[in-house]
Amino acid sequence: SQQGEEDPQALSIQEGENATMNCSYKTSINNLQWYRQNSGRGLVHLILIRSNEREKHSGRLRVTLDTSKKSSSLLITASRAADTASYFCATDAGGGYQKVTFGTGTKLQVIP
Amino acid sequence: SQTIHQWPATLVQPVGSPLSLECTVEGTSNPNLYWYRQAAGRGLQLLFYSVGIGQISSEVPQNLSASRPQDRQFILSSKKLLLSDSGFYLCAWGSNQPQHFGDGTRLSIL
């Protein structure tokens, strides 16, 4: 079964606005990762946050992790049309072999 | 630098035909390798993973099999495709997190 569930399923914003996506998961994790997928392409890793971290930044990306609520959020600031893509969270529950479980994704559309 | 190649990009096959999708990784040794399937508009389902040559673990029962004949080669196969095998197949490698993905194969079954 899917470990991560993102919400919203779809998000449409104007260029320059901020986009926030949320991920909830069910079991304890070692780390949580966010990936981006352009239409018809493979996934690209964006950021990894470990279970003992609460916040992490990378450029215009900000990820938070609340292990007590089993949730994470991805914030993209000052969005651009090129940010249009699907975004997935993936959780590593420590089952070995670096296996991760992906959520169902948030489809982001940034309107120029 | 490490690269991952996956082919073909698209494939249309009749029901009952065989399948072979290939994935190769360059620039790294003894990676963990993964095959995923993604249904339209959905997340990724892990099908197989491999931690070494000849070592394959299956995550879900299905009509597919995987093999790893060389350290950096991962093959997804089927003897007889079903309509339900349609989807977007992604290969990935990883040694430590995160995973790195190929560009995928879009498989359509007629």
Side-chain angles (χ1 to χ4, degrees):
Chain A
S1 63
Q2 295 285 355
Q3 164 78 310
E5 295 291 336
E6 286 95 332
D7 96 276
Q9 291 186 343
L11 180 61
S12 184
I13 59 173
Q14 295 290 328
E15 200 167 31
E17 294 180 339
N18 295 342
T20 300
M21 290 159 267
N22 303 296
C23 170
S24 60
Y25 57 92
K26 296 177 182 174
T27 63
S28 297
I29 59 172
N30 284 347
N31 65 67
L32 185 144
Q33 303 161 41
W34 284 92
Y35 289 81
R36 165 199 170 120
Q37 183 181 34
N38 286 359
S39 181
R41 302 297 299 274
L43 278 72
V44 175
H45 174 256
L46 296 175
I47 200 164
L48 180 152
I49 187 165
R50 301 191 187 284
S51 59
N52 60 353
E53 298 175 309
R54 292 297 167 258
E55 188 171 312
K56 206 160 182 181
H57 298 254
S58 176
R60 293 184 295 112
L61 305 180
R62 173 180 169 245
V63 167
T64 61
L65 179 65
D66 186 335
T67 53
S68 67
K69 294 181 179 178
K70 292 187 171 58
S71 67
S72 173
S73 67
L74 170 67
L75 169 67
I76 304 174
T77 59
S79 64
R80 305 167 182 168
D83 294 328
T84 295
S86 292
Y87 293 82
F88 295 89
C89 68
T91 51
D92 177 359
Y97 310 118
Q98 289 85 45
K99 288 193 299 178
V100 296
T101 304
F102 284 86
T104 51
T106 292
K107 193 167 186 176
L108 173 66
Q109 181 185 26
V110 181
I111 302 167
Chain B
S1 64
Q2 301 91 355
T3 56
I4 180 168
H5 303 281
Q6 195 178 337
W7 67 93
T10 59
L11 190 59
V12 180
Q13 292 283 97
V15 169
S17 64
L19 173 74
S20 180
L21 302 181
E22 189 163 342
C23 172
T24 59
V25 180
E26 296 176 0
T28 186
S29 295
N30 198 32
N32 294 332
L33 296 173
Y34 309 86
W35 276 111
Y36 292 89
R37 177 167 59 203
Q38 183 178 28
R42 302 296 303 278
L44 277 67
Q45 180 187 36
L46 179 62
L47 302 176
F48 300 96
Y49 67 93
S50 171
V51 300
I53 296 173
Q55 301 179 63
I56 308 295
S57 296
S58 174
E59 286 292 293
V60 293
Q62 58 209 316
N63 184 42
L64 302 168
S65 62
S67 62
R68 184 170 178 173
Q70 300 180 48
D71 181 45
R72 287 168 288 180
Q73 184 185 28
F74 204 22
I75 298 172
L76 184 69
S77 303
S78 173
K79 292 182 179 177
K80 281 188 177 183
L81 285 167
L82 306 172
L83 282 174
S84 57
D85 292 324
S86 292
F88 190 48
Y89 289 83
L90 289 155
C91 178
W93 75 270
S95 292
N96 290 303
Q97 301 289 13
Q99 294 181 13
H100 306 275
F101 285 80
D103 279 338
T105 295
R106 175 80 56 196
L107 175 64
S108 299
I109 310 298
L110 302 179

